[in-house]
Amino acid sequence: MKPSWTKFLPRWEVLAFLAIALFPAFCALVRSVFPVQSTWGNLFGSKLTDLLIYAILALGLNVAVGYTGLLQLGIAAFFGIGVYITGILTVNSYPFQVGFFVSLLSATLGAALFGLILGAPTLRLRGDYLAIVTLGFGEVVKVTLRNLEEITKGTKGLNPIPPPHLPDWLAVVAGWFGFSNKWDLDYRLFFYLSLFILAIVVLLLKNLEHSKLGRSWVAIREDELAASCMGVNVPRAKLAAFAVSAGLAGLAGCLYATKLTNTADPNAYDFNRSIIMLCCIILGGLASIRGTLLGVFLLLGFEYIVSPQIDSWIQDSGILDSAVQWAKSVSPDSNQLANAFARLLTFSNWKFMIFGLALVLMMRFRPEGLLPSSRIQQELRH
């Protein structure tokens, strides 16, 4: 039994949220002590903002895969749909130019609508069959976005997507805290916007977990036939799971496109992105909000922050240059050997092998994930 005083301590999730929220203040402190590192905070703050956006995307996938047990491999397609809805509604080449907040709502609802369109004909599918259909849907969306050049500009993408416009009173409040109203120069505006939206999504999903709909999702995941016999409207619950999952992906897509200021190449929303998101929730723990967030920060933090930083250290240390020079001095076929050294000493080239090894070890020693839900943990240990 825990001591009574422990109930006054905040949960570690709250502490983690506060630590992330205080990151810009920490950067300002570092800049004051080490002025030469003036770009350090902007670089890591921008990367951290990306992780917050991907956390929303992973939470959306967790609704379908974790809560409901629907193996969804096309989450990147809904992410891309949210990106392109945002692009079409905001860039100058189209007459709409509705602004950020309307495009945020439109991308969420538009992606949710596509989720319903995909979910309706696949209600009877489960497991591998559903995975194949959603994978195919993702490829169809990617190819369609690439080939509709008159609308999507093909591989060039739509740009420039304008930044959000703050109301005058909010811009004044932001100015009191030293924030400029230039979104492209000050990462903190988008950082706090993404963090605020992520907190709303977490609260929404926390409430959904304990609602009638959330319990229906869990019942379908455990035994669809038994859930149906107990009065759960299985088709309606599955469609709701598809819609919520896709809607959150569209929401993340709108944030991603606005931060990037363009829609990027349609190939960016392919099967690989869906698999990375799936790996995040498997690593963190299925059906667990805190596990999903942890999985995103570990896996994507490693890919976008740790891995490039290690490559930078290797480059700055001169190890790579020394190895290439040595290869050129000892081998007649120097270019081939030098290229081999360059590939071997680039840490980013090893990241997918490390991802795969981590997942194999997880499946062997902790298949429920690092922070699974209590129900999943009990199921996998009995």
Side-chain angles (χ1 to χ4, degrees):
M1 184 176 178
K2 293 182 179 179
S4 58
W5 57 268
T6 58
K7 65 183 179 183
F8 297 107
L9 293 177
R11 293 168 61 89
W12 71 265
E13 296 98 320
V14 178
L15 293 175
F17 179 83
L18 290 175
I20 293 173
L22 291 174
F23 176 78
F26 173 72
C27 291
L29 179 64
V30 171
R31 280 199 301 270
S32 64
V33 178
F34 305 104
V36 70
Q37 299 291 337
S38 58
T39 60
W40 179 85
N42 288 336
L43 176 63
F44 282 89
S46 178
K47 297 290 184 184
L48 196 54
T49 305
D50 290 338
L51 297 191
L52 297 176
I53 295 171
Y54 285 129
I56 297 173
L57 178 60
L59 287 173
L61 182 60
N62 191 45
V63 170
V65 178
Y67 291 161
T68 322
L70 302 172
L71 187 51
Q72 225 270 49
L73 296 182
I75 195 69
F78 298 109
F79 186 64
I81 288 170
V83 166
Y84 275 89
I85 288 176
T86 303
I88 290 171
L89 290 179
T90 56
V91 296
N92 293 331
S93 54
Y94 282 93
F96 309 108
Q97 300 174 28
V98 296
F100 171 73
F101 293 103
V102 175
S103 67
L104 185 74
L105 181 63
S106 302
T108 305
L109 295 179
L113 177 62
F114 275 95
L116 289 175
I117 293 172
L118 174 64
T122 59
L123 288 175
R124 294 180 180 277
L125 300 179
R126 298 198 67 185
D128 299 342
Y129 300 102
L130 179 62
I132 292 170
V133 170
T134 53
L135 188 156
F137 174 78
E139 293 302 304
V140 167
V141 169
K142 184 187 72 175
V143 173
T144 302
L145 290 174
R146 194 171 58 205
N147 291 335
L148 287 177
E149 292 192 19
E150 294 80 5
I151 299 175
T152 64
K153 304 297 181 187
T155 55
K156 297 178 182 175
L158 297 169
N159 64 83
I161 294 176
H165 176 70
L166 289 178
D168 293 340
W169 65 270
L170 190 55
V172 171
V173 173
W176 291 347
F177 293 94
F179 294 0
S180 68
N181 200 13
K182 297 179 179 177
W183 294 74
D184 54 338
L185 299 178
D186 191 343
Y187 78 92
R188 294 176 296 175
L189 291 170
F190 220 97
F191 173 82
Y192 281 115
L193 175 65
S194 302
L195 186 62
F196 176 69
I197 293 177
L198 175 61
I200 292 176
V201 169
V202 169
L203 290 175
L204 171 70
L205 293 179
K206 276 283 186 184
N207 283 297
L208 268 178
E209 273 185 356
H210 303 292
S211 67
K212 180 181 177 181
L213 179 60
R215 292 195 296 274
S216 300
W217 288 341
V218 174
I220 292 171
R221 184 191 69 204
E222 300 300 318
D223 192 323
E224 186 174 328
L225 179 59
S228 178
C229 293
M230 294 301 293
V232 173
N233 189 329
V234 174
R236 182 179 298 177
K238 280 188 173 182
L239 282 176
F242 267 109
V244 173
S245 176
L248 291 178
L251 172 67
C254 177
L255 289 172
Y256 179 81
T258 308
K259 179 178 179 295
L260 201 62
T261 69
N262 65 72
T263 57
D265 186 337
N267 292 321
Y269 315 113
D270 62 357
F271 177 65
N272 289 338
R273 191 180 294 272
S274 297
I275 286 296
I276 289 293
M277 290 299 116
L278 185 62
C279 290
C280 288
I281 63 173
I282 290 175
L283 178 67
L286 286 170
S288 167
I289 292 175
R290 59 180 185 170
T292 299
L293 296 178
L294 179 65
V296 169
F297 278 84
L298 287 179
L299 207 56
L300 298 185
F302 179 81
E303 180 176 3
Y304 291 116
I305 297 177
V306 177
S307 180
Q309 192 62 43
I310 293 177
D311 277 336
S312 176
W313 288 337
I314 292 174
Q315 189 74 31
D316 293 342
S317 67
I319 295 175
L320 181 58
D321 293 336
S322 301
V324 170
Q325 292 299 328
W326 177 81
K328 289 181 178 179
S329 65
V330 299
S331 170
D333 192 8
S334 57
N335 287 334
Q336 188 173 3
L337 185 58
N339 291 335
F341 270 114
R343 286 194 295 272
L344 287 173
L345 292 176
T346 301
F347 186 77
S348 300
N349 293 337
W350 297 87
K351 63 184 179 185
F352 289 114
M353 189 189 75
I354 295 173
F355 286 174
L357 181 61
L359 288 175
V360 169
L361 293 175
M362 284 295 302
M363 291 297 103
R364 171 63 182 85
F365 297 106
R366 196 173 172 83
E368 68 272 26
L370 296 174
L371 292 173
S373 69
S374 57
R375 186 185 294 272
I376 293 283
Q377 194 169 19
Q378 291 173 2
E379 288 173 6
L380 293 178
R381 289 193 173 182
H382 292 90

